[in-house]
Amino acid sequence: MEVDILFKIAGVGIITAVVTQLLKQTGRDEMSMIATIAGLIIGLLMVLGMIEELFDSVRQVFKLY
């Protein structure tokens, strides 16, 4: 597993947490929820590429074409 992708996902999580806290402090709870969901979707899209690589590796190991 590459370390770069883990740092990118952690960075997205930290940025999302900061933005969420800032929005909550200003009283924009709805926008903070949207920011949290957007951060979650971005993180899941990053992980999706890793899952695709995993399935390709499994296909190659077991020769499931």
Side-chain angles (χ1 to χ4, degrees), residues 15-53:
I15 291 171
T16 302
V18 169
V19 169
T20 301
Q21 289 302 317
L22 287 174
L23 288 171
K24 280 187 179 182
Q25 287 179 357
T26 58
R28 297 181 177 165
D29 293 332
E30 295 86 13
M31 292 300 291
S32 68
M33 182 63 73
I34 292 172
T36 303
I37 292 171
L40 178 67
I41 290 171
I42 291 170
L44 288 175
L45 288 175
M46 289 179 172
V47 173
L48 191 64
M50 293 173 53
I51 292 173
E52 181 183 5
E53 290 177 14

